[in-house]
Amino acid sequence: MWVSGRAGAVPGSVFALMDAAKGEARAAGRSVIDLSIGSSDLPPPDPVLEVLREATRDAGTYRYPLFSDTAPLREAAAAYLDRRFGVQVDAGREVLPLIGAQEGLAHLLLAVTDPGETLLLPDPCYPPYLGAAAVAGLNVLTLPLRSERGFLPDLGSVPQGVQARVLLLNYPNNPTSAVADVAFFQEAAAWCRARGTLLVHDHPYAELTFGEYRAPSALQAGLDGVIELHSLSKTHHMGGFRVGFAAGDAGAVAALARVKGAIDFHAYLGIQRAAAHALALPDAVGRAGAAVFEARRDALIPELRALGWEVATPQASMYAWARVPGLRNSVAFALQAARQTGVALSPGAAFGAGGEGFVRFALVQPPGVLREAARLLGTVPVS
Ligand SMILES: Cc1ncc(COP(=O)(O)O)c(C=O)c1O
């Protein structure tokens, strides 16, 4: 009874079912290899933890942080964007700390849209996007991501007359691990500007890139009508710290700050200090973390191909997105795999109808464990 229309509209998650299947495997005495959740298993860099420890001993960090207290993190974010992408932002008006990109996105939609407006969302996509859209009361129009197009949306397929308020993109992409180049962001930004649509780019995998590949920023297409969400969850293995930042269009940043002002008081100052320190670390630190995921990718992909599964070699992200020939019900397959073998994957359909026929692996275990997981999966019937 005590549920609002908006709460009731938030879609349920397949991950609760997966959790139950993992429990069944454990109860049957199997060890569980959990590749279903994209939470980094690496620790944050030591100097970052040291800054946080130090902050907890500083009584000046215990109070509510004010906007002015966020200046060091905003300045560190601006310096990072300049160093990494050559993007200049005003740390006073065009950057705002977040309690994670997920929090930032949900509040951003509340800040820049009104109920009944249209949100363009990729399909498949990170499932909380659908929850955030439901909370904001938006109409979702999905843009299919197909392997033939490198999992990039075809903006030309949006019907004439659709007046979308926001286009939400995410590259390196979860779940497909696809990447986009600057030209794509320029095209998307121009398309949005021509239609009065805000381009929101969710960018938590900015530094989780492999080999020579470096992910660009959507802000390289200009700040006007573009806002990007950054997170330290994956780039610095700080998922539990809940910290990130938004940067871009000054009007959108101001609107987000207004909504957040009614809801939260910014992250703990010690976490802000740790995040500012992390953003200023030499790039080599981030490269070392990314190399761990790259080695896992290299261990898993050949094993999946040996099973006959179709999987591209990711250039970034912490996922492998595999099409399983003959797979018609990815949820049933993933539940069966978890119960029978203890290997927990994400079913592609959990990311939207466009994900059916696929499964997603989070590369959150060492190479030997990933190889063993692939071997076990080979024993699960596909249907
Ligand atoms: C695309 C995408 N956006 C946002 C998040 C969450 O980021 P944060 O931890 O900063 O809230 C994730 C986490 O998996 C993600 O994959």
Side-chain angles (χ1 to χ4, degrees), residues 163-176:
Q163 183 49 56
R165 185 71 173 152
V166 171
L167 166 64
L168 174 54
L169 297 174
N170 153 235
Y171 293 97
N173 183 257
N174 179 9
T176 67

Side-chain angles (χ1 to χ4, degrees), residues 57 89 144 182 290 333 335:
R57 290 189 275 270
V89 295
V182 179
F333 175 76
L335 292 173

Side-chain angles (χ1 to χ4, degrees), residues 210-302:
F210 309 142
E212 297 302 307
Y213 177 73
R214 292 289 175 280
S217 161
L219 300 177
Q220 288 171 253
L223 271 55
D224 176 30
V226 181
I227 184 165
E228 188 162 79
L229 307 175
H230 286 257
S231 164
L232 282 88
S233 297
K234 324 283 178 177
T235 58
H236 298 82
H237 318 291
M238 292 170 70
F241 293 62
R242 313 306 304 128
V243 63
F245 64 90
D249 187 283
V253 169
L256 176 57
R258 241 177 127 93
V259 165
K260 278 173 62 62
I263 292 173
D264 69 60
F265 254 116
H266 309 291
Y268 166 56
L269 272 173
I271 288 179
Q272 291 189 41
R273 283 185 195 170
H277 193 85
L279 289 170
L281 286 171
D283 288 344
V285 177
R287 302 316 306 147
V292 172
F293 287 92
E294 185 173 352
R296 295 170 177 182
R297 172 200 73 173
D298 292 342
L300 181 65
I301 301 289

Side-chain angles (χ1 to χ4, degrees), residues 93-245:
R93 295 183 317 115
E94 293 167 339
V95 183
L96 187 71
L98 300 176
I99 304 176
Q102 188 166 327
E103 172 271 319
L105 176 70
H107 288 145
L108 178 63
L109 293 183
L110 290 177
V112 299
T113 67
D114 285 307
E117 289 185 319
T118 297
L119 168 67
L120 294 174
L121 262 193
D123 175 23
C125 72
Y126 178 54
Y129 293 169
L130 292 163
V135 169
L138 300 175
N139 296 324
V140 171
L141 192 73
T142 52
L143 296 173
L145 302 186
R146 299 213 170 88
S147 61
E148 311 84 82
R149 293 186 56 87
F151 297 110
L152 297 173
D154 177 6
L155 296 175
S157 72
V158 176
Q160 291 287 331
V162 166
Q163 183 49 56
R165 185 71 173 152
V166 171
L167 166 64
L168 174 54
L169 297 174
N170 153 235
Y171 293 97
N173 183 257
N174 179 9
T176 67
S177 77
V179 298
D181 59 15
V182 179
F184 171 76
F185 288 122
Q186 278 162 345
E187 190 194 313
W191 187 92
C192 284
R193 285 182 191 123
R195 288 162 180 79
T197 302
L198 180 69
L199 173 56
V200 177
H201 184 229
D202 186 23
H203 206 8
Y205 302 98
E207 303 303 329
L208 226 52
T209 60
F210 309 142
E212 297 302 307
Y213 177 73
R214 292 289 175 280
S217 161
L219 300 177
Q220 288 171 253
L223 271 55
D224 176 30
V226 181
I227 184 165
E228 188 162 79
L229 307 175
H230 286 257
S231 164
L232 282 88
S233 297
K234 324 283 178 177
T235 58
H236 298 82
H237 318 291
M238 292 170 70
F241 293 62
R242 313 306 304 128
V243 63
F245 64 90

